């Protein structure tokens, strides 16, 4: 009996101990194990206006004057520049290289145009040479003429009057009519200097523009003249010189010998207007190479 009572007491005590230890039959909900958000903090920059690459908008008038041979190139550049600076008006007057150089030195135009290199005397007066392109000077004849190729020496002999008949060159028995430009023309100066006939030419007629030379050669089967390669059209034929035909490629690589620069002339120490400076910078840039090529010349700065 005593033993039984002892066993009962011990069982009661064990139950109490278990209850005192906080035992529970309910499932304890585990603490949340969801990870903290790993989304990065926003790195988007504050709204900023991108830097503009467009040129500063300008307005005004730019007066150019000079070489008639540069007509096509200048007009093409003017059109292209108008897309960049639509409020700038660029005027062109074709009065010959000499007049253009004199005009810019006298201040009667913003930019002079010369289709020949400047002389030492002009540079001494303050003229500055900005070469924008290279141009071949084509020796042109009438399409009826059968002569196709001349040497520099033969060309010199024709223009000085030493050779006077096409038969001496394998052509028809006909007297040669020698046409050229007036004094002061950049085309004439370049041609005569390169061929070596300065102040020695015996011209049948002299003309005041490249177009007049081409038109008169086109209407005379016995004529010969010279003109900017960029101005030559199908009404005349450009002769080969020493076996090389004038073209953009032969001018660029130097194999065509009769070539000259196209120059925009400024004055040393004279600040250009913003509009004039912008046009000069545009004409001197590599980005206009295709525009100059389309006008028949070769960019000097590509």
């Amino acid at each position: 009996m005593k033993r039984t009572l002892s066993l009962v007491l011990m069982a009661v005590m064990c139950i109490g101990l278990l209850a005192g230890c906080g035992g529970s039959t309910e499932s304890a909900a585990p603490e949340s194990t969801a990870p903290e958000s790993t989304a990065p903090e926003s790195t988007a920059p504050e709204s900023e206006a991108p830097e503009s690459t467009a040129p500063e908008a300008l307005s005004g008038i730019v007066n150019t004057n000079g070489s008639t041979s540069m007509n096509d190139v200048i007009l093409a550049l003017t059109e292209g520049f108008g897309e960049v600076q639509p409020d700038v008006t660029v005027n062109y007057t074709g009065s010959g290289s000499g007049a253009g150089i004199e005009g810019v030195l006298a201040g009667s135009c913003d930019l002079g145009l010369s289709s020949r290199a400047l002389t030492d005397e002009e540079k001494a007066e303050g003229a500055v040479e900005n070469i924008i392109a290279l141009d071949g000077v084509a020796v042109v004849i009438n399409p009826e003429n059968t002569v196709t190729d001349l040497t520099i020496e033969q060309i010199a002999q024709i223009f000085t009057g030493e050779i006077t008949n096409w038969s001496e060159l394998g052509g028809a028995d006909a007297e040669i009519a020698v046409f050229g430009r007036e004094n002061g023309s950049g085309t004439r100066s370049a041609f005569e200097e390169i061929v070596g006939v300065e102040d020695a030419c015996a011209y049948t007629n002299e003309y005041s523009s490249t177009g007049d030379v081409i038109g008169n050669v086109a209407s005379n089967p016995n004529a010969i003249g010279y003109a900017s390669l960029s101005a030559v059209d199908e009404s005349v034929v450009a002769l080969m010189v020493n076996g090389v035909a004038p073209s953009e490629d032969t001018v660029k690589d130097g194999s065509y010998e009769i070539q000259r620069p196209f120059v925009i002339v400024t004055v040393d120490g004279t600040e250009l207007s913003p509009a004039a400076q912008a046009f000069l910078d545009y004409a001197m840039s590599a980005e206009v190479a295709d525009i100059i090529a389309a006008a028949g010349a070769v960019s000097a700065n590509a």
Side-chain angles (χ1 to χ4, degrees), residues 152-170:
I152 290 286
E153 182 180 4
Q154 288 172 326
I155 294 169
Q157 290 172 328
I158 290 170
F159 278 83
T160 57
E162 186 176 342
I163 293 177
T164 59
N165 195 293
W166 284 111
S167 63
E168 299 176 64
L169 301 165

Side-chain angles (χ1 to χ4, degrees), residues 16 50 59 68 77 105 108 129 133 167 214 229 234 237 257 297 299:
S59 62
T68 61
L77 289 173
L105 287 172
S108 62
E129 190 175 81
S167 63
I214 290 175
L229 178 58
E234 67 280 356
V237 172
E257 297 177 53
S299 173

Side-chain angles (χ1 to χ4, degrees), residues 69-70 73 114-115 117 130-137 228-230 247-254 256 258-263 292-293 295-302:
S69 298
M70 291 176 67
V73 168
S114 175
S115 51
N130 303 280
I131 299 175
I132 64 168
L134 301 173
D135 178 55
V137 179
S228 169
L229 178 58
S230 61
S247 70
E248 179 182 337
D249 289 338
T250 58
V251 169
K252 191 171 185 178
D253 66 23
Y256 183 74
I258 308 178
Q259 58 172 282
R260 41 73 184 277
F262 277 171
V263 180
I292 290 174
V298 179
S299 173
N301 303 296

Side-chain angles (χ1 to χ4, degrees), residues 12-300:
V12 170
M13 288 175 67
C14 286
I15 293 170
L17 286 170
L18 288 171
C21 290
S24 173
T25 59
E26 294 182 8
S27 297
E31 294 184 9
S32 174
T33 58
E36 295 182 8
S37 174
T38 58
E41 294 182 11
S42 175
T43 56
E46 295 181 11
S47 177
E48 293 181 2
E51 292 185 11
S52 175
T53 56
E56 178 187 356
L58 301 171
S59 62
I61 297 174
V62 180
N63 291 313
T64 71
N65 181 26
S67 170
T68 61
S69 298
M70 291 176 67
N71 176 81
D72 291 348
V73 168
I74 292 299
L75 293 184
L77 289 173
T78 297
E79 182 177 351
F81 185 69
E83 297 178 4
V84 180
Q85 296 289 358
D87 294 327
V88 175
T89 299
V90 180
N91 295 322
Y92 165 68
T93 301
S95 60
S97 297
I101 296 167
E102 291 174 5
V104 74
L105 287 172
S108 62
C109 62
D110 298 298
L111 301 170
L113 305 174
S114 175
S115 51
R116 61 167 174 79
L118 298 181
T119 65
D120 290 340
E121 291 77 10
E122 288 163 344
K123 291 178 180 179
E125 292 179 43
V128 177
E129 190 175 81
N130 303 280
I131 299 175
I132 64 168
L134 301 173
D135 178 55
V137 179
V139 179
V140 295
I141 57 173
N142 187 280
E144 294 182 25
N145 199 321
T146 58
V147 175
T148 59
D149 189 3
L150 294 175
T151 66
I152 290 286
E153 182 180 4
Q154 288 172 326
I155 294 169
Q157 290 172 328
I158 290 170
F159 278 83
T160 57
E162 186 176 342
I163 293 177
T164 59
N165 195 293
W166 284 111
S167 63
E168 299 176 64
L169 301 165
D173 182 10
E175 186 176 351
I176 301 172
V178 180
F179 297 159
R181 290 291 304 279
E182 82 290 359
N183 268 321
S185 159
T187 309
R188 173 171 171 163
S189 296
F191 172 81
E192 292 185 357
E193 181 179 348
I194 295 166
V195 176
V197 293
E198 295 167 280
D199 302 320
C201 289
Y203 291 108
T204 306
N205 286 311
E206 299 178 19
Y207 301 98
S208 60
S209 74
T210 295
D212 285 342
V213 173
I214 290 175
N216 281 281
V217 170
S219 64
N220 187 332
N222 302 318
I224 188 171
Y226 48 77
S228 169
L229 178 58
S230 61
V232 173
D233 58 28
E234 67 280 356
S235 68
V236 294
V237 172
L239 288 169
M240 289 190 288
V241 176
N242 290 333
V244 179
S247 70
E248 179 182 337
D249 289 338
T250 58
V251 169
K252 191 171 185 178
D253 66 23
S255 58
Y256 183 74
E257 297 177 53
I258 308 178
Q259 58 172 282
R260 41 73 184 277
F262 277 171
V263 180
I264 291 181
V265 186
T266 54
V267 181
D268 187 29
T270 299
E271 185 176 358
L272 296 173
S273 70
Q277 184 65 59
F279 181 73
L280 174 61
D281 293 342
Y282 177 77
M284 292 285 288
S285 68
E287 68 186 83
V288 300
D290 290 344
I291 293 175
I292 290 174
V298 179
S299 173

